[in-house]
Coordinates of all heavy atoms in Angstrom, one line a residue:
T1 N -5.7 5.4 -1.1 CA -4.8 6.4 -0.5 C -3.4 6.4 -1.2 O -3.1 5.5 -1.8 CB -4.6 6.0 1.0 OG1 -3.9 7.1 1.6 CG2 -3.9 4.7 1.2
Y2 N -2.8 7.5 -1.0 CA -1.4 7.7 -1.6 C -0.5 7.5 -0.4 O -0.8 7.9 0.8 CB -1.3 9.0 -2.3 CG -1.8 9.0 -3.7 CD1 -3.2 8.9 -3.9 CD2 -1.0 9.0 -4.8 CE1 -3.7 8.9 -5.2 CE2 -1.5 8.9 -6.1 CZ -2.8 8.9 -6.3 OH -3.3 8.8 -7.6
V3 N 0.7 7.1 -0.7 CA 1.7 6.9 0.4 C 3.0 7.5 0.0 O 3.4 7.5 -1.2 CB 1.9 5.4 0.8 CG1 0.6 4.9 1.5 CG2 2.2 4.6 -0.5
V4 N 3.8 8.0 1.0 CA 5.2 8.4 0.7 C 6.1 7.2 0.9 O 6.0 6.4 1.8 CB 5.5 9.5 1.8 CG1 7.0 9.9 1.6 CG2 4.6 10.7 1.6
T5 N 7.0 7.1 -0.1 CA 7.9 6.0 -0.1 C 9.3 6.4 0.0 O 9.7 7.6 0.2 CB 7.7 5.1 -1.4 OG1 8.1 5.9 -2.5 CG2 6.3 4.6 -1.5
E6 N 10.3 5.5 -0.1 CA 11.7 5.7 0.3 C 12.4 6.9 -0.4 O 13.3 7.5 0.1 CB 12.6 4.5 0.1 CG 12.6 3.9 -1.3 CD 12.9 2.4 -1.3 OE1 13.6 2.0 -0.4 OE2 12.4 1.7 -2.2
N7 N 12.0 7.3 -1.6 CA 12.6 8.4 -2.3 C 12.5 9.6 -1.6 O 13.2 10.7 -1.8 CB 12.1 8.6 -3.7 CG 12.7 7.6 -4.7 OD1 13.4 6.7 -4.3 ND2 12.3 7.6 -5.9
C8 N 11.6 9.7 -0.6 CA 11.4 10.9 0.2 C 12.5 11.1 1.2 O 12.7 12.3 1.7 CB 10.0 10.9 0.9 SG 9.6 12.3 1.8
I9 N 13.2 10.1 1.5 CA 14.2 10.2 2.6 C 15.2 11.3 2.3 O 15.8 11.3 1.2 CB 15.0 8.9 2.8 CG1 14.0 7.9 3.3 CG2 16.2 9.1 3.8 CD1 14.6 6.4 3.3
A10 N 15.3 12.2 3.2 CA 16.2 13.4 3.1 C 15.9 14.4 2.0 O 16.6 15.3 1.7 CB 17.7 12.9 2.9
C11 N 14.7 14.2 1.4 CA 14.2 15.2 0.4 C 13.7 16.5 1.2 O 13.1 16.4 2.2 CB 13.0 14.7 -0.4 SG 12.2 15.8 -1.5
K12 N 14.1 17.6 0.6 CA 13.7 18.8 1.3 C 12.6 19.6 0.6 O 12.3 20.7 1.1 CB 15.0 19.8 1.4 CG 16.1 19.2 2.1 CD 15.8 19.0 3.6 CE 17.0 18.4 4.4 NZ 16.6 17.4 5.4
Y13 N 12.1 19.1 -0.3 CA 10.9 19.7 -1.0 C 9.6 19.5 -0.3 O 9.4 18.5 0.3 CB 10.8 19.2 -2.5 CG 12.0 19.6 -3.3 CD1 13.0 18.6 -3.5 CD2 12.0 20.8 -3.9 CE1 14.1 18.9 -4.3 CE2 13.2 21.1 -4.7 CZ 14.2 20.2 -4.9 OH 15.3 20.5 -5.7
T14 N 8.8 20.5 -0.3 CA 7.5 20.4 0.3 C 6.3 20.8 -0.7 O 5.3 21.2 -0.2 CB 7.4 21.3 1.5 OG1 7.7 22.6 1.2 CG2 8.3 20.8 2.7
D15 N 6.6 20.6 -1.9 CA 5.6 20.9 -2.9 C 4.3 20.2 -2.7 O 3.2 20.7 -2.9 CB 6.1 20.6 -4.4 CG 7.5 21.2 -4.7 OD1 8.4 21.2 -3.9 OD2 7.5 21.8 -5.7
C16 N 4.5 18.9 -2.3 CA 3.3 18.1 -2.0 C 2.4 18.7 -0.9 O 1.2 18.7 -1.0 CB 3.7 16.6 -1.6 SG 4.9 16.7 -0.3
V17 N 3.1 19.1 0.1 CA 2.3 19.7 1.3 C 1.5 20.9 0.8 O 0.4 21.1 1.3 CB 3.3 20.1 2.4 CG1 2.5 20.7 3.6 CG2 4.1 18.9 2.9
E18 N 2.1 21.7 0.0 CA 1.4 22.9 -0.4 C 0.2 22.6 -1.3 O -0.8 23.4 -1.2 CB 2.4 23.8 -1.2 CG 3.3 24.5 -0.2 CD 4.6 25.0 -0.9 OE1 4.5 25.4 -2.1 OE2 5.6 25.0 -0.2
V19 N 0.2 21.5 -2.0 CA -1.0 21.3 -2.9 C -2.1 20.5 -2.3 O -3.2 20.4 -2.8 CB -0.6 20.7 -4.3 CG1 0.4 21.6 -5.0 CG2 0.1 19.3 -4.1
C20 N -1.8 19.8 -1.2 CA -2.8 18.9 -0.6 C -4.0 19.6 -0.1 O -3.9 20.4 0.7 CB -2.2 18.0 0.5 SG -3.4 16.9 1.2
P21 N -5.2 19.3 -0.6 CA -6.3 20.1 -0.2 C -6.9 19.8 1.2 O -7.6 20.6 1.7 CB -7.4 19.7 -1.3 CG -7.0 18.4 -1.7 CD -5.5 18.3 -1.7
V22 N -6.4 18.7 1.8 CA -6.9 18.3 3.1 C -5.8 18.3 4.2 O -6.0 17.9 5.3 CB -7.6 17.0 3.1 CG1 -8.9 17.1 2.3 CG2 -6.8 15.9 2.6
D23 N -4.6 18.9 3.8 CA -3.5 19.0 4.8 C -3.2 17.6 5.5 O -3.1 17.7 6.7 CB -3.8 20.1 5.8 CG -3.6 21.4 5.2 OD1 -2.9 21.6 4.3 OD2 -4.3 22.4 5.7
C24 N -3.1 16.6 4.8 CA -2.8 15.3 5.5 C -1.4 14.9 5.4 O -1.1 13.7 5.7 CB -3.8 14.3 4.9 SG -3.6 13.8 3.2
F25 N -0.5 15.8 5.1 CA 0.9 15.4 5.2 C 1.4 15.8 6.7 O 1.0 16.8 7.2 CB 1.7 16.2 4.2 CG 1.7 15.7 2.9 CD1 0.8 16.1 2.0 CD2 2.6 14.8 2.5 CE1 0.7 15.6 0.6 CE2 2.6 14.2 1.2 CZ 1.7 14.6 0.2
Y26 N 2.3 14.9 7.2 CA 2.9 15.1 8.5 C 4.3 14.8 8.4 O 4.8 14.2 7.5 CB 2.2 14.1 9.5 CG 0.8 14.4 9.7 CD1 -0.2 13.9 8.8 CD2 0.4 15.2 10.8 CE1 -1.5 14.1 9.0 CE2 -1.0 15.5 10.9 CZ -1.9 15.0 10.1 OH -3.3 15.2 10.2
E27 N 5.1 15.3 9.4 CA 6.5 15.1 9.4 C 6.8 13.7 10.1 O 6.5 13.5 11.3 CB 7.2 16.2 10.1 CG 7.9 17.2 9.1 CD 8.7 18.2 9.8 OE1 9.8 17.9 10.3 OE2 8.2 19.3 10.0
G28 N 7.6 12.9 9.4 CA 8.1 11.7 10.0 C 9.5 11.8 10.5 O 9.9 13.0 10.6
E29 N 10.3 10.8 10.8 CA 11.6 11.0 11.2 C 12.5 11.5 10.2 O 13.3 12.4 10.5 CB 12.2 9.6 11.7 CG 11.7 9.3 13.1 CD 12.4 8.1 13.7 OE1 12.8 7.2 12.9 OE2 12.5 8.0 15.0
N30 N 12.5 11.0 9.0 CA 13.4 11.5 7.9 C 12.6 11.6 6.6 O 13.2 11.7 5.6 CB 14.7 10.8 7.8 CG 14.5 9.3 7.7 OD1 13.4 8.9 7.4 ND2 15.5 8.5 8.0
T31 N 11.3 11.6 6.7 CA 10.5 11.7 5.5 C 9.2 12.5 5.9 O 8.9 12.6 7.1 CB 10.0 10.4 4.9 OG1 9.0 9.8 5.8 CG2 11.1 9.4 4.7
L32 N 8.5 12.9 4.9 CA 7.1 13.3 5.2 C 6.3 12.0 5.1 O 6.7 11.0 4.5 CB 6.6 14.3 4.1 CG 7.3 15.7 4.2 CD1 6.8 16.5 2.9 CD2 7.0 16.4 5.4
V33 N 5.1 12.0 5.7 CA 4.2 10.9 5.5 C 2.8 11.5 5.3 O 2.5 12.6 5.6 CB 4.2 10.0 6.8 CG1 5.5 9.3 7.0 CG2 3.9 10.8 8.1
I34 N 2.0 10.6 4.7 CA 0.6 10.9 4.4 C -0.3 10.1 5.4 O -0.1 8.9 5.5 CB 0.2 10.5 3.0 CG1 1.0 11.4 2.0 CG2 -1.3 10.7 2.7 CD1 0.8 11.0 0.5
H35 N -1.3 10.8 6.1 CA -2.2 10.0 7.0 C -3.2 9.2 6.1 O -3.9 9.8 5.4 CB -2.9 11.0 7.9 CG -3.6 10.3 9.0 ND1 -4.4 9.2 8.8 CD2 -3.5 10.4 10.4 CE1 -4.9 8.8 10.0 NE2 -4.3 9.5 11.0
P36 N -3.1 7.9 6.2 CA -3.9 7.1 5.2 C -5.4 7.3 5.4 O -6.2 7.0 4.4 CB -3.5 5.7 5.5 CG -2.8 5.7 6.8 CD -2.3 7.1 7.0
D37 N -5.9 7.7 6.6 CA -7.3 7.9 6.7 C -7.8 9.3 6.4 O -9.0 9.5 6.2 CB -7.7 7.6 8.3 CG -7.4 6.3 8.7 OD1 -7.4 5.3 7.8 OD2 -7.2 6.0 9.9
E38 N -6.8 10.2 6.3 CA -7.2 11.6 5.9 C -7.0 11.8 4.4 O -7.7 12.7 3.9 CB -6.3 12.6 6.7 CG -6.6 12.5 8.2 CD -5.7 13.4 9.0 OE1 -4.9 14.2 8.4 OE2 -5.8 13.3 10.3
C39 N -6.2 11.1 3.7 CA -6.0 11.3 2.3 C -7.3 10.9 1.6 O -7.9 9.9 1.8 CB -4.9 10.3 1.8 SG -4.7 10.3 0.1
I40 N -7.7 11.9 0.7 CA -9.0 11.7 -0.1 C -8.7 11.1 -1.5 O -9.6 11.1 -2.3 CB -9.8 13.0 -0.2 CG1 -8.9 14.1 -0.8 CG2 -10.3 13.4 1.2 CD1 -9.8 15.3 -1.2
D41 N -7.4 10.7 -1.7 CA -7.1 10.0 -2.9 C -7.2 10.8 -4.2 O -7.6 10.3 -5.2 CB -8.0 8.8 -3.0 CG -7.3 7.5 -3.5 OD1 -6.0 7.5 -3.5 OD2 -8.0 6.6 -3.9
C42 N -7.0 12.1 -4.0 CA -7.2 13.0 -5.1 C -6.1 12.9 -6.2 O -6.2 13.2 -7.3 CB -7.4 14.5 -4.6 SG -5.8 15.2 -4.1
G43 N -4.9 12.6 -5.7 CA -3.8 12.4 -6.7 C -3.0 13.6 -7.1 O -2.1 13.6 -7.8
V44 N -3.5 14.8 -6.5 CA -2.8 16.0 -6.8 C -1.3 16.1 -6.5 O -0.5 16.7 -7.2 CB -3.6 17.2 -6.2 CG1 -2.8 18.5 -6.3 CG2 -5.0 17.4 -6.8
C45 N -0.9 15.4 -5.3 CA 0.4 15.6 -4.9 C 1.4 14.8 -5.8 O 2.6 15.1 -5.8 CB 0.5 15.1 -3.4 SG -0.1 13.4 -3.2
E46 N 1.0 13.6 -6.3 CA 1.8 12.7 -7.0 C 2.8 13.4 -8.0 O 4.0 13.3 -8.0 CB 1.1 11.6 -7.6 CG 2.0 10.5 -8.1 CD 1.3 9.4 -8.9 OE1 0.0 9.4 -8.8 OE2 2.0 8.7 -9.6
P47 N 2.2 14.2 -9.0 CA 3.1 14.8 -10.0 C 3.9 16.0 -9.4 O 4.9 16.4 -10.1 CB 2.1 15.3 -11.1 CG 0.8 15.4 -10.4 CD 0.8 14.4 -9.3
E48 N 3.5 16.4 -8.2 CA 4.3 17.6 -7.7 C 5.6 17.1 -7.0 O 6.5 18.0 -6.7 CB 3.4 18.3 -6.6 CG 2.2 18.9 -7.2 CD 2.4 20.0 -8.2 OE1 3.5 20.7 -8.1 OE2 1.6 20.1 -9.2
C49 N 5.7 15.8 -6.7 CA 6.9 15.4 -6.0 C 8.1 15.3 -6.9 O 8.1 14.5 -7.8 CB 6.6 14.0 -5.3 SG 8.0 13.3 -4.5
P50 N 9.1 16.1 -6.6 CA 10.4 16.1 -7.5 C 11.1 14.8 -7.3 O 11.9 14.4 -8.2 CB 11.2 17.2 -7.0 CG 10.6 17.8 -5.8 CD 9.3 17.1 -5.6
A51 N 10.9 14.1 -6.3 CA 11.7 12.8 -6.0 C 10.8 11.5 -6.4 O 11.4 10.5 -6.2 CB 12.0 12.7 -4.5
D52 N 9.7 11.8 -6.9 CA 8.8 10.6 -7.4 C 8.6 9.7 -6.2 O 8.6 8.4 -6.4 CB 9.5 9.9 -8.6 CG 8.4 9.1 -9.4 OD1 7.2 9.5 -9.3 OD2 8.8 8.2 -10.0
A53 N 8.4 10.2 -5.0 CA 8.3 9.3 -3.8 C 6.9 9.0 -3.5 O 6.6 8.2 -2.6 CB 8.9 10.1 -2.7
I54 N 5.9 9.7 -4.1 CA 4.5 9.5 -3.7 C 3.8 8.5 -4.7 O 3.8 8.7 -5.9 CB 3.7 10.8 -3.7 CG1 4.4 11.8 -2.7 CG2 2.3 10.6 -3.3 CD1 3.8 13.2 -2.7
R55 N 3.3 7.4 -4.2 CA 2.8 6.4 -5.0 C 1.4 6.0 -4.5 O 1.1 6.1 -3.3 CB 3.6 5.1 -4.9 CG 5.1 5.2 -5.1 CD 5.6 5.9 -6.3 NE 4.8 5.5 -7.5 CZ 4.7 6.2 -8.6 NH1 5.3 7.3 -8.7 NH2 3.9 5.8 -9.6
P56 N 0.5 5.6 -5.4 CA -0.8 5.1 -4.9 C -0.6 3.7 -4.3 O 0.3 3.0 -4.6 CB -1.6 4.9 -6.2 CG -0.6 4.8 -7.3 CD 0.6 5.6 -6.9
D57 N -1.4 3.4 -3.2 CA -1.2 2.2 -2.5 C -1.8 1.0 -3.2 O -1.7 -0.2 -2.8 CB -1.9 2.2 -1.1 CG -3.4 2.2 -1.1 OD1 -4.0 2.4 -2.2 OD2 -4.0 2.0 0.0
T58 N -2.3 1.2 -4.5 CA -2.8 0.1 -5.3 C -1.6 -0.5 -6.1 O -1.8 -1.6 -6.7 CB -3.8 0.7 -6.3 OG1 -3.3 1.8 -6.9 CG2 -5.1 1.0 -5.6
E59 N -0.5 0.1 -6.0 CA 0.7 -0.6 -6.6 C 1.1 -1.8 -5.9 O 0.9 -1.9 -4.6 CB 1.9 0.4 -6.8 CG 1.6 1.4 -7.9 CD 2.7 2.3 -8.2 OE1 3.8 2.2 -7.5 OE2 2.6 3.2 -9.1
P60 N 1.9 -2.8 -6.5 CA 2.3 -3.9 -5.7 C 3.2 -3.6 -4.6 O 4.0 -2.7 -4.6 CB 3.0 -4.8 -6.8 CG 2.6 -4.2 -8.1 CD 2.2 -2.8 -7.9
D61 N 3.1 -4.4 -3.6 CA 4.1 -4.4 -2.4 C 4.1 -3.0 -1.7 O 5.1 -2.5 -1.2 CB 5.5 -4.7 -2.9 CG 5.6 -6.0 -3.5 OD1 5.0 -7.0 -3.0 OD2 6.3 -6.2 -4.5
M62 N 2.9 -2.4 -1.5 CA 2.8 -1.2 -0.8 C 2.4 -1.3 0.6 O 2.4 -0.3 1.4 CB 1.8 -0.2 -1.5 CG 2.4 0.4 -2.8 SD 3.6 1.6 -2.5 CE 4.5 1.6 -4.0
E63 N 2.2 -2.5 1.1 CA 1.7 -2.7 2.5 C 2.6 -2.1 3.5 O 2.2 -1.4 4.5 CB 1.5 -4.2 2.8 CG 0.3 -4.8 2.0 CD 0.8 -5.3 0.6 OE1 2.0 -5.1 0.3 OE2 0.0 -5.9 -0.1
K64 N 3.9 -2.3 3.3 CA 4.8 -1.8 4.3 C 4.9 -0.2 4.4 O 5.0 0.3 5.4 CB 6.2 -2.3 4.2 CG 7.0 -1.8 3.0 CD 8.5 -2.2 3.1 CE 9.2 -1.6 1.9 NZ 10.7 -1.9 1.9
W65 N 4.6 0.4 3.2 CA 4.6 1.8 3.1 C 3.3 2.4 3.7 O 3.3 3.5 4.3 CB 4.9 2.3 1.7 CG 6.3 2.0 1.3 CD1 6.7 1.1 0.4 CD2 7.5 2.7 1.9 NE1 8.1 1.1 0.4 CE2 8.6 2.1 1.3 CE3 7.7 3.6 2.8 CZ2 9.9 2.5 1.6 CZ3 9.0 4.0 3.2 CH2 10.1 3.5 2.6
V66 N 2.2 1.7 3.6 CA 1.0 2.1 4.2 C 1.2 2.1 5.7 O 0.9 3.1 6.4 CB -0.2 1.3 3.8 CG1 -1.5 1.7 4.6 CG2 -0.5 1.4 2.3
E67 N 1.8 1.1 6.2 CA 2.0 0.9 7.7 C 3.0 2.0 8.1 O 2.8 2.7 9.2 CB 2.6 -0.4 8.0 CG 1.6 -1.5 8.0 CD 0.2 -1.1 8.7 OE1 0.3 -0.7 9.8 OE2 -0.8 -1.1 8.0
F68 N 4.0 2.3 7.4 CA 5.0 3.4 7.7 C 4.3 4.7 7.7 O 4.5 5.5 8.7 CB 6.1 3.3 6.6 CG 7.2 4.4 6.7 CD1 8.3 4.1 7.4 CD2 7.0 5.6 6.1 CE1 9.3 5.1 7.5 CE2 8.0 6.6 6.2 CZ 9.1 6.3 6.9
N69 N 3.5 5.0 6.7 CA 2.9 6.3 6.7 C 1.9 6.5 7.9 O 1.8 7.5 8.5 CB 2.1 6.5 5.4 CG 3.1 6.9 4.3 OD1 3.0 8.1 3.8 ND2 3.9 6.0 3.8
R70 N 1.2 5.3 8.2 CA 0.2 5.4 9.3 C 0.9 5.6 10.6 O 0.6 6.4 11.4 CB -0.6 4.1 9.3 CG -1.6 4.0 10.5 CD -2.4 2.8 10.5 NE -3.3 2.7 9.3 CZ -4.4 3.4 9.1 NH1 -4.9 4.2 10.1 NH2 -5.1 3.2 8.1
K71 N 2.0 4.8 10.8 CA 2.7 4.9 12.1 C 3.2 6.4 12.4 O 3.0 6.9 13.5 CB 3.9 4.0 12.0 CG 4.9 4.0 13.2 CD 6.1 3.1 13.0 CE 7.1 3.3 14.2 NZ 8.3 2.5 13.9
Y72 N 3.8 7.0 11.4 CA 4.4 8.3 11.7 C 3.4 9.4 11.7 O 3.5 10.5 12.4 CB 5.6 8.6 10.7 CG 6.8 7.8 11.2 CD1 7.1 6.6 10.5 CD2 7.5 8.1 12.3 CE1 8.2 5.8 10.9 CE2 8.6 7.3 12.7 CZ 8.9 6.2 12.0 OH 10.0 5.4 12.4
S73 N 2.3 9.3 10.9 CA 1.3 10.3 10.9 C 0.5 10.3 12.1 O -0.1 11.3 12.6 CB 0.4 10.2 9.6 OG -0.3 9.0 9.6
E74 N 0.4 9.1 12.8 CA -0.5 9.1 14.0 C 0.3 9.5 15.2 O -0.3 9.5 16.3 CB -1.0 7.7 14.1 CG -2.1 7.4 13.1 CD -2.9 6.1 13.3 OE1 -2.4 5.2 14.0 OE2 -4.0 6.0 12.7
L75 N 1.6 9.8 15.1 CA 2.3 10.4 16.3 C 1.9 11.8 16.6 O 2.1 12.4 17.6 CB 3.8 10.4 16.0 CG 4.4 9.0 15.7 CD1 5.9 9.2 15.4 CD2 4.3 8.1 17.0
W76 N 1.2 12.4 15.6 CA 0.8 13.8 15.8 C -0.6 14.0 16.4 O -1.5 13.2 16.2 CB 0.9 14.6 14.5 CG 2.3 14.6 14.0 CD1 2.8 13.7 13.1 CD2 3.3 15.6 14.3 NE1 4.1 14.0 12.9 CE2 4.5 15.1 13.7 CE3 3.3 16.7 15.1 CZ2 5.7 15.9 13.8 CZ3 4.5 17.4 15.3 CH2 5.7 16.9 14.6
Ligands
SF4_1 FE1 -3.4 15.0 -0.2 FE2 -4.6 14.3 -2.5 FE3 -2.1 13.7 -2.1 FE4 -3.9 12.5 -0.6 S1 -3.7 12.3 -2.9 S2 -2.0 13.2 0.2 S3 -5.4 14.1 -0.4 S4 -2.9 15.7 -2.3

């Protein structure tokens, strides 16, 4: 799965939302978030993010961001 990370804070771009084929972006408190169970891991959103905030969860130390994305996407 891909996750939204701290560079998203206060970012106003929604390019990622527009390209996601499964509409798995949700609004968090001050970031967008990706629902980790709905993301199909296509990677299309990553290069679209002007803030470079979207990372694959296979990178090191992503556990807290996976939890963050899950927490806020499940409020909807
Ligand atoms: Fe959507 Fe694909 Fe990005 Fe997952 S990797 S959030 S499915 S665009």
Side-chain angles (χ1 to χ4, degrees):
T1 185
Y2 279 71
V3 291
V4 173
T5 64
E6 58 203 329
N7 283 3
C8 184
I9 295 169
C11 174
K12 299 292 179 221
Y13 293 97
T14 55
D15 305 50
C16 53
V17 178
E18 282 162 32
V19 298
C20 180
V22 293
D23 285 332
C24 63
F25 281 90
Y26 296 84
E27 257 187 78
E29 276 188 336
N30 51 16
T31 69
L32 293 173
V33 288
I34 293 171
H35 195 306
D37 297 334
E38 295 177 5
C39 174
I40 58 170
D41 223 14
C42 71
V44 168
C45 57
E46 185 187 352
E48 297 298 326
C49 175
D52 202 24
I54 301 174
R55 314 300 323 156
D57 73 345
T58 48
E59 288 188 355
D61 303 320
M62 282 293 157
E63 293 84 0
K64 74 169 181 178
W65 290 110
V66 174
E67 287 313 305
F68 177 91
N69 280 252
R70 179 177 296 284
K71 176 180 172 190
Y72 286 101
S73 59
E74 287 186 345
L75 297 178
W76 297 92

